[in-house]
Amino acid sequence: MDKLKLKNLYSDFRPDIELIEKELEKSLESDSPILREASMHLLHAGGKRIRPVFVLLSAKFGNFDLSLVAKAAVALELIHMASLVHDDVIDDSDMRRGMPTVKAQWNNKVAMYTGDFILARSLQYISSIEDEGLHQALADTMIEIVKGEFIQIEDQFNLDQGIRDYFRRIKRKTALLIASSCEMGAIAAGAEQKVVWRLKRFGYFVGMSFQIVDDILDFTATEKELGKPAGSDLTNGNITLPILYLKDDQVAGPLIIKALNGSISDNEMKTLLQYIRSSDSLKKAKKISDLYLQKALLEVENLPEIPAKNHLKQIALFIGKRKF
Amino acid sequence: MDKLKLKNLYSDFRPDIELIEKELEKSLESDSPILREASMHLLHAGGKRIRPVFVLLSAKFGNFDLSLVAKAAVALELIHMASLVHDDVIDDSDMRRGMPTVKAQWNNKVAMYTGDFILARSLQYISSIEDEGLHQALADTMIEIVKGEFIQIEDQFNLDQGIRDYFRRIKRKTALLIASSCEMGAIAAGAEQKVVWRLKRFGYFVGMSFQIVDDILDFTATEKELGKPAGSDLTNGNITLPILYLKDDQVAGPLIIKALNGSISDNEMKTLLQYIRSSDSLKKAKKISDLYLQKALLEVENLPEIPAKNHLKQIALFIGKRKF
């Protein structure tokens, strides 16, 4: 299983990851029963923890101090989790990672405040790291992420958009926070400015590649693998790269419109998914993802020769090959 | 009008307030049309700006640097605004300050992300002030505020609660952020630690007094003054101090239950409001508010003799006497 393979990649720094996992658990403790349950539900729903891993590995390029690095790693993962809870409200998602979402199990209000709580907790962690530049950079990233959420509202269900609109969205949805993870790890360890920038660019390219693959998997993976029905992005109005390649296609086009306005039958959806899978739209999307991956690997090549360099490379390559 | 009176109180530092107002306006600029409109809507809906005023006045007890103080003032007002937008989602409020709420004019999703955006903007302002203690204190306050929001969910529509539950809620809903405003202003100006603590306690007591008065006004002010129907707190399930005094009353008790389960008629609501107004519950609540005010004034008495001291006193006294 791919998840296990990722675990193997992590094996060299498993103790660090476990420490971060424990700290994450601790960070979400609270007196409120609803809040505690909702946060724990979210935490135990899993996730690849790629942001903490990028924080950890990037910090190796400076003076690695695990307690400081763990704070940054927890903060970044918490920001990611908070954005997931709020996104589930906006996407009206009932399932994520094969489990009911917070908004489905409780309601939108609980989901909103759980996100607020997790975000505030993240700020507690980040504010314990003394570095003004780091605080400023993270606040800037958060602004861009939220702006991205408005762009998503504006673009949702709208077929009158181009590939640039898609890139604009995935940059804010995914790439910026992964770039920040690399940047924060390096800053927290006091790495050289040149290395900080390189790691940030690496994270950005990896993030773009990662999200494109994610959007492809929404069509190719099984419901069991995804934890939600295949094609969910489309029925939720999220127009991804393969759809942009196919929207003017004579067969797929009309079915895409039906999927977006909610009038598609189960059989038509099956037909559409099969059509997408056998079309070249997925290959074209994968090619773009690979281009970003190559850019990421080029950044890695120019990093100082330490073991973490190879780990970053392996994880980037894994992201390019993952099946779900 | 009371609002004008408050303006008179502000007259000595009007240029500073105007600068903060302009900075607030600037802080909410953005490319996204929905986001810009929703934020501006909120900004122009008014508000007393008491948090910025407390930041300003508290900063006078140190080395006053307007540009730094303005940043803290804007950050605090933005946190307050963000919590208002999110609270409107939870309260299902359609009106605030006589205008439709963001969630009513757009929808819950827009309200949620507008709150997120305003909060992220606030972090940008606060992170530009170099003071680790200040960041940590603000993050701690934010945690408590969000915890308060969960307590509010848990206590909503629940008559099986006591006065301590009410105090626990209003502390987190109002008093902590006003206390933080005083604290941040003093910290940003590098005031003596003893003075920082005194101002923080002052803010806390003023905040408690302020919220109790607010909760009384929900029963005594007119719909025009409130910008929403009188008794809205009760029908929204927010059990305030006067209600806690009356919940076992033979006349009011059954009507309160009806108001909470949504089965009260317009006539019965009128009767209940009149009964509350003529009962001693409001006087008892006012007495508690006055006790907090006295504690606040005691703190002011022990502050250094500078003009801001008298301003703080006047504003506290105004809060005790305000009619809406």
Side-chain angles (χ1 to χ4, degrees):
Chain A
M1 274 174 54
D2 278 38
K3 223 166 191 172
L4 282 179
K5 280 193 208 150
L6 195 60
K7 263 205 172 164
N8 289 340
L9 276 181
Y10 288 0
S11 63
D12 286 352
F13 36 97
R14 191 168 294 157
D16 296 357
I17 292 278
E18 276 166 12
L19 184 136
I20 291 172
E21 197 66 29
K22 266 186 203 140
E23 193 63 43
L24 266 174
E25 189 120 0
K26 226 175 80 188
S27 76
L28 295 177
E29 275 168 15
S30 101
D31 320 324
S32 159
I34 303 178
L35 179 52
R36 194 174 46 235
E37 277 176 49
S39 314
M40 286 301 155
H41 173 87
L42 197 68
L43 188 68
H44 294 137
K48 301 174 197 70
R49 309 283 188 253
I50 55 170
R51 289 152 200 86
V53 167
F54 282 137
V55 173
L56 266 178
L57 290 175
S58 298
K60 300 278 186 186
F61 291 87
N63 295 310
F64 190 84
D65 166 353
L66 182 59
S67 76
L68 205 62
V69 171
K71 279 178 191 168
V74 167
L76 266 298
E77 185 68 6
L78 290 177
I79 290 177
H80 170 61
M81 284 171 66
S83 81
L84 286 188
V85 194
H86 280 190
D87 285 352
D88 286 335
V89 176
I90 215 163
D91 292 340
D92 271 328
S93 304
D94 290 329
M95 298 292 280
R96 180 181 288 276
R97 298 170 181 160
M99 286 176 71
T101 56
V102 172
K103 80 130 226 149
Q105 182 137 342
W106 288 271
N107 56 46
N108 275 341
K109 293 172 191 176
V110 169
M112 188 181 70
Y113 282 135
T114 300
D116 289 356
F117 170 74
I118 295 174
L119 188 65
R121 215 33 129 201
S122 160
L123 297 176
Q124 281 187 317
Y125 277 86
I126 214 71
S127 64
S128 68
I129 303 173
E130 278 186 70
D131 187 303
E132 205 211 330
L134 182 143
H135 298 166
Q136 198 77 52
L138 200 62
D140 294 349
T141 297
M142 284 167 65
I143 284 285
E144 290 305 317
I145 292 174
V146 182
K147 274 189 189 169
E149 279 153 351
F150 277 90
I151 295 173
Q152 198 157 326
I153 297 177
E154 285 156 10
D155 290 353
Q156 211 178 13
F157 292 104
N158 175 17
L159 269 183
D160 187 19
Q161 59 173 285
I163 288 177
R164 287 179 60 154
D165 297 298
Y166 170 76
F167 288 139
R168 192 172 67 147
R169 284 200 304 279
I170 66 168
K171 171 184 166 185
R172 290 173 171 82
K173 183 181 179 177
T174 305
L176 285 179
L177 197 60
I178 294 186
S180 282
S181 302
C182 296
E183 186 187 15
M184 302 289 138
I187 292 181
E192 235 183 293
Q193 185 60 58
K194 217 175 62 185
V195 173
V196 173
W197 282 331
R198 198 173 287 290
L199 284 163
K200 187 182 176 179
R201 284 196 301 273
F202 164 78
Y204 175 78
F205 293 137
V206 163
M208 294 296 280
S209 173
F210 180 83
Q211 188 56 51
I212 296 171
V213 170
D214 221 54
D215 293 342
I216 294 171
L217 291 174
D218 190 65
F219 295 110
T220 59
T222 63
E223 176 159 354
K224 203 183 156 198
E225 286 165 341
L226 290 169
K228 60 185 178 182
S232 288
D233 282 344
L234 180 61
T235 49
N236 284 329
N238 180 10
I239 318 279
T240 57
L241 194 51
I243 294 300
L244 288 172
Y245 288 133
L246 283 174
K247 67 175 181 163
D248 298 323
D249 181 279
Q250 283 192 330
V251 178
L255 290 172
I256 288 171
I257 291 170
K258 275 191 163 183
L260 288 173
N261 67 27
S263 70
I264 198 164
S265 71
D266 287 354
N267 260 337
E268 285 172 322
M269 190 68 197
K270 249 187 206 163
T271 308
L272 177 57
L273 286 173
Q274 271 164 359
Y275 190 86
I276 294 173
R277 285 171 193 151
S278 63
S279 75
D280 63 350
S281 67
L282 299 183
K283 282 185 208 80
K284 278 161 78 181
K286 184 64 171 48
K287 213 170 158 184
I288 306 275
S289 167
D290 286 342
L291 281 173
Y292 276 113
L293 201 60
Q294 278 163 32
K295 282 170 175 267
L297 292 172
L298 208 65
E299 298 293 346
V300 170
E301 282 317 315
N302 289 306
L303 282 170
E305 293 294 338
I306 61 166
K309 177 174 172 161
N310 193 42
H311 284 125
L312 285 179
K313 196 171 159 182
Q314 293 307 318
I315 291 174
L317 286 171
F318 169 82
I319 284 173
K321 281 184 293 185
R322 74 197 172 104
K323 294 288 183 303
F324 63 92
Chain B
M1 275 174 55
D2 277 38
K3 223 165 193 175
L4 281 180
K5 278 193 210 151
L6 194 61
K7 263 206 173 162
N8 288 341
L9 276 182
Y10 288 0
S11 64
D12 286 352
F13 37 97
R14 192 170 295 159
D16 296 355
I17 292 279
E18 276 165 12
L19 183 135
I20 290 171
E21 198 67 29
K22 267 187 202 140
E23 194 61 43
L24 266 175
E25 190 120 2
K26 226 174 80 189
S27 75
L28 295 178
E29 275 168 15
S30 100
D31 320 324
S32 159
I34 302 179
L35 180 51
R36 194 174 47 237
E37 277 176 49
S39 313
M40 287 301 156
H41 173 88
L42 196 69
L43 187 68
H44 295 138
K48 301 175 197 70
R49 308 283 187 252
I50 55 169
R51 288 152 201 87
V53 168
F54 282 137
V55 173
L56 266 178
L57 290 175
S58 298
K60 299 278 186 188
F61 291 88
N63 294 309
F64 190 84
D65 166 353
L66 183 57
S67 77
L68 205 62
V69 171
K71 280 179 192 169
V74 167
L76 266 298
E77 186 67 6
L78 289 177
I79 291 177
H80 170 61
M81 284 171 67
S83 81
L84 287 187
V85 193
H86 280 189
D87 285 351
D88 285 335
V89 175
I90 215 163
D91 292 340
D92 271 326
S93 305
D94 290 328
M95 298 291 280
R96 179 182 291 275
R97 296 170 183 160
M99 286 176 72
T101 56
V102 172
K103 81 128 225 149
Q105 183 135 339
W106 288 271
N107 56 46
N108 275 342
K109 293 172 190 177
V110 169
M112 189 181 69
Y113 283 135
T114 301
D116 289 355
F117 171 74
I118 296 175
L119 188 64
R121 221 21 137 205
S122 160
L123 297 177
Q124 281 187 315
Y125 277 85
I126 216 71
S127 63
S128 68
I129 304 173
E130 279 187 68
D131 186 304
E132 205 212 329
L134 182 144
H135 298 163
Q136 198 76 54
L138 199 61
D140 294 348
T141 298
M142 283 167 65
I143 284 284
E144 289 306 315
I145 292 174
V146 183
K147 275 189 188 168
E149 279 152 350
F150 277 90
I151 296 173
Q152 199 157 327
I153 296 177
E154 285 157 7
D155 289 353
Q156 211 178 11
F157 292 105
N158 175 17
L159 269 182
D160 187 20
Q161 60 171 285
I163 287 176
R164 288 180 59 155
D165 297 297
Y166 170 76
F167 287 139
R168 192 172 66 147
R169 284 199 306 279
I170 65 169
K171 171 184 166 185
R172 290 173 170 82
K173 182 181 180 177
T174 305
L176 284 180
L177 198 60
I178 295 185
S180 281
S181 302
C182 297
E183 186 187 14
M184 301 289 140
I187 291 180
E192 233 183 295
Q193 185 59 60
K194 215 175 64 185
V195 172
V196 173
W197 283 331
R198 200 175 285 292
L199 284 163
K200 185 181 178 180
R201 284 196 302 272
F202 163 78
Y204 175 78
F205 293 137
V206 163
M208 294 296 281
S209 172
F210 180 84
Q211 188 56 50
I212 297 170
V213 170
D214 222 55
D215 293 341
I216 294 171
L217 291 174
D218 189 65
F219 295 110
T220 57
T222 63
E223 177 159 355
K224 202 182 156 199
E225 287 164 339
L226 291 169
K228 58 185 180 181
S232 288
D233 282 343
L234 180 61
T235 49
N236 285 328
N238 181 9
I239 318 279
T240 56
L241 194 51
I243 294 301
L244 287 174
Y245 287 134
L246 283 173
K247 65 174 184 164
D248 298 323
D249 181 280
Q250 284 192 330
V251 178
L255 291 171
I256 288 171
I257 291 170
K258 275 189 163 185
L260 288 174
N261 66 26
S263 71
I264 199 165
S265 70
D266 287 355
N267 258 339
E268 285 171 323
M269 190 68 195
K270 249 186 208 164
T271 307
L272 176 58
L273 285 173
Q274 273 166 358
Y275 190 84
I276 293 173
R277 285 170 192 151
S278 63
S279 75
D280 64 349
S281 68
L282 300 182
K283 281 184 209 82
K284 278 160 78 179
K286 185 65 171 52
K287 213 170 159 183
I288 306 276
S289 167
D290 287 342
L291 281 174
Y292 276 113
L293 202 60
Q294 278 165 31
K295 281 169 175 271
L297 293 172
L298 208 64
E299 297 293 345
V300 171
E301 281 317 314
N302 288 306
L303 283 170
E305 292 296 338
I306 62 166
K309 175 174 174 163
N310 194 42
H311 284 126
L312 284 179
K313 195 172 161 181
Q314 292 306 317
I315 290 174
L317 286 170
F318 169 82
I319 284 172
K321 278 184 295 186
R322 76 198 170 103
K323 293 288 183 306
F324 65 90

